[in-house]
């Protein structure tokens, strides 16, 4: 429900001339609610008026929009990145730091603009027409910094040519500087402009990074970018699809020790293969492990989709503080790797664990049970595409049910039957916090039939989902949840509803 103050703010902003005249005499305490109303209604001119007379040193979107009374903004959800609103904010801040600031009856006090936590509205069928991707927002900020730097340089050049007073000297007014904190997304297309923006000297806009996401960059480009970042405030580095290999990681990871607050390091799809017997591979793993051990604040590590068979002990043993999130999907782990994890300092501290893509046959199943029994703090567990059959899942359930804090469980892609899912639902009734289970389509809901012409003559059978049978199974699972008093839990076979918990929301 919207507050009366919010409704009044929305009504005032509906008529810009009246709002603009009222701003100088309104109490400063009303500016946050006016900002929320302007942002939610996409009133870009009103947003600019508010920014150029902002009465506080900090303007933080996560704080201002986190409790606006609208469902999509509640809790830990990301702030929706409205393209026109973000562009309006950037333009207003550029005007504020410009050589000729716009006239305002109330001088702007802004020194910090916090744009972190914006939802990445990436291109796709569900993208809102007015949305802005994280990549586009990063490019817009980089361009703004370069433009502000250019204007400042031109103003200094013009000012230096002027002669005032008997001494012939002229004093340049002290420039206003605004720090912009943001999450940055960069790839090969935007690398150059972001690097130049971070390197710009004397720029009145100082771009600071909280979370860095980089894709499809070389190791040298990533190192160059990391060298440009201010060491303070960087909490996550996410490097995916960069094909770095072991040699590339040995170049990049040492640079991360510059960031004392680095909590999360994601290195999926890095193309590391422990099976390769290339010269220097053992030395490379030792070097990588040494530099991982220097990341004193590290709490989350993602090494997904690299072949790390037999390397867990070597890679993680130098970490002095326990990890709370560990993602090792499709890493071809061996029983000894899971045994090490179950006996390590990390197991009792783990809140999130992803072991998807490992075939949990008898040789891996017992070490997995030991790991789960050693991880009582586990909140999020992914075991997708792990060849878990009904008997294997039943053998796993006693250990799984000891994870009393478990909230999310991912089992999609496993060959489970309807009776197996019912057993899972009944046995996990003791997990009172379990609110999301992503289960697979039951194997008994598939029909085996020959493919359609023209390849039917090949005799090859294919599986097709019996939608009616699956709908009946889904309805029965829902009835079981209601009858057991867990009607608030969601059991779904839709990966779109997966809702993977981010480490910072655990």
């Amino acid at each position: 429900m919207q507050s009366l103050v919010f409704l009044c703010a929305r009504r005032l902003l509906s008529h810009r001339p009246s709002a603009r005249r009222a701003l100088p005499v309104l109490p400063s305490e009303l500016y946050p609610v006016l900002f929320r109303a302007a942002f939610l209604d996409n009133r870009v001119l009103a947003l600019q008026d508010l920014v150029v007379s902002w009465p506080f040193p900090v303007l933080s979107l996560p704080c201002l929009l986190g409790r606006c009374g609208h469902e999509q903004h509640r809790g830990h959800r990301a702030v929706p990145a409205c393209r026109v609103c973000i562009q309006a904010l950037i333009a207003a801040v550029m005007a504020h730091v410009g050589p000729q600031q716009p006239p305002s009856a109330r001088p702007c006090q802004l020194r910090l603009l916090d744009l972190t936590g914006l939802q990445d509205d990436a291109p796709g069928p569900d993208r809102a027409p007015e949305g802005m991707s994280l990549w586009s927002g990063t490019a817009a900020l980089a361009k703004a910094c370069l433009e502000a730097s250019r204007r400042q340089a031109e103003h200094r050049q013009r000012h230096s040519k002027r002669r005032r007073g008997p001494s012939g000297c002229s004093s340049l007014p002290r420039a206003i500087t605004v720090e912009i904190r943001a999450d940055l997304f960069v790839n090969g297309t935007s690398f150059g402009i972001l690097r130049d923006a971070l390197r710009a000297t004397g720029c009145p806009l100082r771009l600071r990074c909280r979370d860095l996401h980089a894709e499809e960059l070389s190791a040298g480009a990533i190192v160059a970018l990391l060298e440009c970042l201010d060491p303070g405030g960087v909490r996550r580095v996410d490097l995916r699809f960069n094909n770095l290999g072991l040699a590339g990681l040995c170049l990049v990871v040492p640079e991360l020790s510059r960031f004392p607050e680095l909590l999360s390091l994601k290195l999926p799809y890095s193309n590391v293969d422990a099976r390769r017997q290339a010269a220097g591979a053992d030395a490379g793993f030792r070097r990588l492990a040494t530099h991982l051990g220097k990341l004193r604040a590290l709490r989350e590590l993602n090494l997904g989709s690299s072949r790390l068979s037999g390397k867990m002990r070597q890679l993680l043993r130098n970490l002095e503080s326990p990890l709370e999130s560990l993602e090792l999907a499709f890493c071809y782990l061996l029983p000894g790797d899971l045994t090490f994890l179950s006996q390590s300092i990390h197991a009792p501290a783990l809140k999130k664990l992803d072991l998807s893509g490992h075939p949990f046959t008898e040789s891996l199943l017992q070490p997995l049970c030991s790991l789960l029994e050693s991880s009582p703090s586990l909140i999020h567990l992914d075991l997708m595409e792990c060849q878990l059959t009904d008997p294997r899942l039943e053998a796993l359930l006693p250990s799984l049910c000891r994870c009393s804090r478990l909230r999310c469980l991912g089992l999609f892609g496993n060959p489970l039957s309807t009776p197996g899912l019912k057993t899972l639902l009944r046995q996990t009734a003791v997990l009172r916090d379990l609110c999301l289970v992503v289960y697979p389509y039951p194997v008994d809901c598939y029909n085996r039939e020959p493919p359609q012409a023209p390849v039917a003559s090949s005799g090859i059978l294919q599986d097709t989902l019996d939608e009616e049978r699956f709908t009946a199974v889904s309805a029965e699972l829902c009835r079981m949840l209601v009858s057991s008093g867990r009607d608030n839990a969601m059991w779904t076979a839709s990966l779109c509803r997966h809702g993977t918990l981010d480490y910072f929301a655990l």
Side-chain angles (χ1 to χ4, degrees):
M1 183 178 295
Q2 298 163 357
S3 68
L4 180 59
V5 175
F6 181 84
L7 292 174
C8 292
R10 174 172 277 174
R11 180 63 181 269
L12 174 63
L13 294 174
S14 65
H15 188 253
R16 190 199 178 205
S18 299
R20 199 170 193 181
R21 289 193 299 268
L23 282 181
V25 297
L26 287 177
S28 300
E29 291 76 12
L30 291 179
Y31 269 66
V33 71
L34 287 166
F35 184 93
R36 289 196 292 272
F39 194 96
L40 292 175
D41 292 342
N42 296 347
R43 298 192 181 279
V44 295
L45 296 179
L47 278 175
Q48 292 178 330
D49 292 341
L50 287 164
V51 172
V52 297
S53 57
W54 193 251
F56 309 107
V58 177
L59 195 163
S60 171
L61 257 65
C63 293
L64 290 172
L65 302 180
R67 301 182 185 87
C68 60
H70 289 245
E71 185 62 32
Q72 66 265 35
H73 300 293
R74 290 180 182 171
H76 296 286
R77 298 172 185 266
V79 177
C82 170
R83 177 177 51 83
V84 293
C85 291
I86 300 300
Q87 290 174 337
L89 288 179
I90 295 173
V93 174
M94 286 186 65
H96 169 51
V97 301
Q100 287 83 33
Q101 287 83 15
S104 174
R106 178 178 296 196
C108 180
Q109 303 298 321
L110 182 63
R111 296 299 179 268
L112 170 62
L113 174 64
D114 186 355
L115 298 178
T116 58
L118 294 180
Q119 178 179 321
D120 186 13
D121 197 6
D126 298 327
R127 179 178 178 180
E130 71 279 3
M132 178 180 244
S133 69
L134 191 56
W135 183 93
S136 299
T138 300
L141 285 173
K143 292 176 182 178
C145 289
L146 291 177
E147 177 63 18
S149 181
R150 183 190 64 80
R151 293 180 184 177
Q152 186 71 13
E154 290 180 351
H155 178 63
R156 288 180 180 277
Q157 186 176 15
R158 288 195 302 268
H159 199 276
S160 64
K161 295 179 180 179
R162 298 173 184 168
R163 300 286 182 178
R164 292 182 181 173
S167 63
C169 297
S170 59
S171 60
L172 186 66
R174 186 175 181 180
I176 297 174
T177 301
V178 172
E179 178 179 322
I180 301 180
R181 293 180 187 170
D183 300 327
L184 304 179
F185 186 106
V186 59
N187 58 16
T189 305
S190 57
F191 164 74
I193 188 171
L194 179 59
R195 177 200 57 197
D196 293 344
L198 292 170
R199 286 179 175 177
T201 58
C203 180
L205 296 181
R206 300 173 59 194
L207 189 56
R208 296 290 180 264
C209 176
R210 184 187 69 163
D211 295 353
L212 176 67
H213 307 262
E215 290 186 2
E216 301 175 350
L217 294 180
S218 67
I222 294 173
V223 169
L225 203 59
L226 293 174
E227 291 175 343
C228 297
L229 296 179
D230 188 278
V234 176
R235 68 171 192 175
R236 168 175 284 164
V237 173
D238 186 347
L239 310 175
R240 59 184 63 214
F241 305 114
N242 292 290
N243 197 31
L244 296 173
L246 182 58
L249 288 182
C250 287
L251 290 175
V252 170
V253 174
E255 297 295 326
L256 300 176
S257 60
R258 294 181 57 244
F259 307 111
E261 301 170 40
L262 184 67
L263 292 167
S264 171
L265 176 59
K266 291 176 171 276
L267 302 169
Y269 309 102
S270 291
N271 193 25
V272 176
D273 192 344
R275 304 173 307 167
R276 296 173 185 168
Q277 299 300 319
D282 287 340
F285 274 106
R286 287 196 299 270
R287 185 184 180 199
L288 179 59
T290 297
H291 288 287
L292 283 175
K294 294 180 180 180
L295 306 180
R296 309 298 185 193
L298 193 65
R299 295 296 179 270
E300 178 178 47
L301 181 61
N302 183 339
L303 296 171
S305 298
S306 285
R307 293 178 180 265
L308 301 175
S309 308
K311 294 297 182 181
M312 283 296 98
R313 180 182 298 275
Q314 183 179 30
L315 286 174
L316 303 184
R317 66 184 178 186
N318 291 333
L319 294 178
E320 297 180 0
S321 299
L323 294 171
E324 297 178 348
S325 175
L326 184 58
E327 298 179 69
L328 299 169
F330 299 93
C331 282
Y332 298 84
L333 299 184
L334 302 177
D337 294 312
L338 296 183
T339 300
F340 162 73
L341 289 175
S342 67
Q343 299 171 353
S344 70
I345 62 172
H346 309 294
L350 281 177
K351 297 180 180 178
K352 180 178 179 181
L353 178 64
D354 187 353
L355 293 173
S356 298
H358 290 91
F360 284 108
T361 54
E362 282 66 23
S363 62
L364 276 180
L365 193 59
Q366 185 53 49
L368 174 62
C369 290
S370 299
L371 177 56
L372 294 182
E373 291 171 9
S374 303
S375 307
S377 297
L378 208 58
I379 293 175
H380 185 112
L381 175 64
D382 270 328
L383 297 174
M384 298 191 182
E385 300 182 33
C386 287
Q387 300 180 25
L388 286 173
T389 58
D390 289 357
R392 293 170 186 167
L393 180 61
E394 191 168 356
L396 183 64
L397 277 173
S399 301
L400 180 66
C401 290
R402 296 181 66 173
C403 302
S404 58
R405 297 179 58 191
L406 196 66
R407 288 189 229 154
C408 303
L409 175 63
L411 293 172
F412 192 85
N414 289 293
L416 300 175
S417 68
T418 298
L421 290 176
K422 291 180 179 178
T423 300
L424 173 67
L425 191 150
R426 285 192 294 266
Q427 295 292 323
T428 55
V430 297
L431 301 177
R432 305 310 297 179
D433 292 336
L434 186 61
C435 57
L436 175 64
V437 175
V438 183
Y439 61 87
Y441 295 106
V443 292
D444 49 293
C445 288
Y446 284 91
N447 297 319
R448 301 279 290 178
E449 58 185 32
Q452 300 296 320
V455 295
S457 60
S458 65
I460 301 175
L461 298 178
Q462 66 178 7
D463 294 338
T464 58
L465 182 66
D466 187 324
E467 297 283 357
E468 184 176 351
R469 191 183 308 173
F470 172 70
T471 300
V473 170
S474 180
E476 186 174 1
L477 293 176
C478 287
R479 286 194 295 270
M480 292 177 64
L481 286 170
V482 172
S483 64
S484 63
R486 292 183 287 163
D487 49 307
N488 60 333
M490 177 184 294
W491 283 55
T492 176
S494 172
L495 283 176
C496 296
R497 305 292 291 276
H498 186 203
T500 300
L501 284 176
D502 183 79
Y503 166 71
F504 295 105
L506 291 175

